[in-house]
Amino acid sequence: MEEKKLDINSIIGFVLIFGILLYMFYMQTPTQEELEAKQKQEQVEQQKKQQEQEPKVATSEDFSAASAQDSLKFLELQNKLGAFAYSATLPSAKDEFTQVETELLDLKFSNKGGFLKEVRLKPFVDYDSIPIYLIKENNSTFNVNFGTTDSRILNTKDLYFEPSVTKNGENTVVSMKLKVSATKYLEYRYVLKPNDYMMDFSIQSQGLSQVINGSQEVNLDWSLKGFRNDKSISYENRYTRLTYQHDDGKISKLSPTGSDDESVEDLTWLSYRQHFFSSILISEKPFKSVKLTSENMVEDEDVDTLFTKTFGSKIPMALNAGELNENLKLYFGPTDHKVLKNYDYDLEDSIPLGWGIFGWINRYLFIPLFNFLITILPYGGAIIVMTILIKLLMSFVQYKQFLSQAKLKVIKPELDQIREKHKDNKMKIQQETMALQTQVGASPLSGCLPALIQLPVFYALFQFFPSAFDLRQKSFLWAEDLSSYDVVAQLPVKIPFYGEHVSLFPILAAIAIFFYMKMTTGQQTAMSQPQQEGMPDMQKMMKVMIYFSPLLMLVFFNNYASGLSLYYFISNLISIGIMIVIKNYILDEDKIHAQIQVKKAQPKKESKFQRKMKEMMEQAEQQQRNQNRKK
């Protein structure tokens, strides 16, 4: 085995490596100066850490700088706001809000402006299941504009109020104060009651008699853009309207179309009605003078928009000993007759139930009847039962109408003989025809009169169904919402005046009207007199109406409330049934003919009107004879 030996090269290598290591160790060792510098640096860093951990104590120089900065800011605010600069220095001078909820309302009160930033009606959603907001996203402005004694014009909508929420028994009190000092302020005070859509609201000032300029007007401006909440914006916009009470109970409205404005005196309340929901301002004492405006926001009904109308009111407020003290009420809730009637301000009159006798029929007949029926029946069933009761109530009118038609049918042969006998003397034909009809009690006017009696009922129901809040979002058969149109098919394009959908209830109502008019008009045409010279051809007009009336129903009602179309469908079906029963089982033409013969044998006393008409016709006949002789 070879013995391993350490050669000279290996020894030299180890010595060099060891030398290099010693040199590197020597070079990295710090000098005395470096050690002292490092120690000083560590001491400085330690002092910095201690200063950061210790609480800062402001020096006199710091106070002087901060005071100068705050004083400068306050001077700027004072130059801009005068005495109300104080309100801008409070912690509440931020774009924040105070949220308060009741069982029915979810409200947000804004620090800036002091009024409601949001109003959500908790029990309701729109057609697309989105919560109903009456105020949201700056769609409303509530502002008191006033002058100050230091020649400024201020608007409360630009100023910051200090909020506070307290309890007064079951009521919640929200106070928003615009302060000029700790004890002087303008206050909006809201009193919210449980399970109530109405709140007490007051605008009052304290200690501002030397701040508010009494020689200038103090105006309350309230504007609101109405949100679209219904499926058909054109239908909703038709019933979105500014309504107000003035002059000791008189109800008036601005135009439902286009733009309108009105200056009103002695206004008690005003309602920004958005079809089924309303925002109402009520005054305990009438406002002396109010400027009202309404602007239509739906320029093109083919285009869906977010808003329907913009309402505005400008209300001068009076100062009392230099102070404001207005006791008001605010209502945010449904346009529901039952709810509004609970308040003592005639707010239910803001619902468009029709004027005069039409409104009377709705208030005292249809609304109580319908409110009773919906307590025991589904809503669609209540409409059907209500229709049956109305038609039975009006059946005597139909009976009188058909009886007159039956009499005309019985005496038709005699009328034909009169026409044949005096075919060359049209005046004589008219005289003898009228005499015969009067003698047997079968005047054509007696058939028209029952139809005229039904018109108030027809129009009253036309107003009732679109305003019936109870029908909102209530379904029946294929109709999802009886307060809106039903849809059984969507069209690829929008047809002018018809729409882009197909509603089935108007189709059924149009078919029923067609057959009803076919039956009644056909009988009237058969008994009608020949066309007189210079007079329109009534036979042709009646034939045109047979097709025109159903077409009108089909087109016009396609975008109307399905509850109304349901009523007209059932109503015409019942009318057809009543007519068949009366003609086939109640009226006996032989018996009527016998009664007519008895009447003809009896002497008939002419009334003053009949004598006058007879004299006029005889004079006309004499004039015609004289003209013929001259020829």
Side-chain angles (χ1 to χ4, degrees), residues 87-205:
S87 64
T89 64
L90 300 175
S92 57
K94 300 175 183 177
D95 288 332
E96 296 179 348
F97 61 85
T98 300
Q99 185 168 4
V100 179
E101 291 191 42
T102 67
E103 292 82 355
L104 302 175
L105 300 171
D106 182 5
L107 308 171
K108 291 181 181 179
F109 299 86
S110 175
N111 288 11
K112 188 174 184 180
F115 195 63
L116 288 155
K117 177 186 179 72
E118 282 189 10
V119 175
R120 179 172 69 90
L121 305 184
K122 296 171 71 173
F124 307 108
V125 295
D126 68 7
Y127 72 99
D128 205 20
S129 300
I130 297 173
I132 294 291
Y133 285 91
L134 297 185
I135 297 178
K136 189 182 181 183
E137 297 174 351
N138 300 317
N139 75 314
S140 177
T141 301
F142 192 93
N143 177 56
V144 175
N145 173 272
F146 60 94
T148 62
T149 53
D150 54 359
S151 303
R152 288 179 173 82
I153 301 296
L154 298 179
N155 295 287
T156 57
K157 66 179 182 179
D158 301 323
L159 305 177
Y160 290 97
F161 288 65
E162 185 179 63
S164 67
V165 181
T166 57
K167 278 287 188 178
N168 183 10
E170 292 185 344
N171 298 338
T172 301
V173 179
V174 180
S175 173
M176 306 293 289
K177 292 181 178 179
L178 175 61
K179 293 185 173 182
V180 299
S181 71
T183 58
K184 299 179 180 181
Y185 50 80
L186 172 67
E187 181 185 27
Y188 292 172
R189 184 179 178 85
Y190 308 83
V191 181
L192 313 178
K193 303 170 187 177
N195 291 298
D196 201 340
Y197 291 106
M198 185 175 287
M199 65 186 79
D200 294 335
F201 174 58
S202 62
I203 302 175
Q204 52 194 1
S205 64

Side-chain angles (χ1 to χ4, degrees), residues 216-235:
Q216 292 180 289
E217 282 191 350
V218 179
N219 291 313
L220 168 61
D221 295 298
W222 183 29
S223 66
L224 178 79
K225 291 182 180 179
F227 285 117
R228 176 253 186 102
N229 295 312
D230 290 357
K231 184 160 54 176
S232 170
I233 189 169
S234 59
Y235 182 69

Side-chain angles (χ1 to χ4, degrees), residues 450-462:
L452 292 175
I453 294 175
Q454 297 183 72
L455 285 180
V457 176
F458 178 90
Y459 183 78
L461 288 167
F462 184 78

Side-chain angles (χ1 to χ4, degrees), residues 198 245 268-269 282 340-348:
M198 185 175 287
Q245 185 188 69
T268 309
W269 54 256
I282 306 161
L340 295 175
K341 196 172 177 60
N342 290 331
Y343 304 106
D344 297 329
Y345 301 99
D346 298 326
L347 298 180
E348 68 274 12

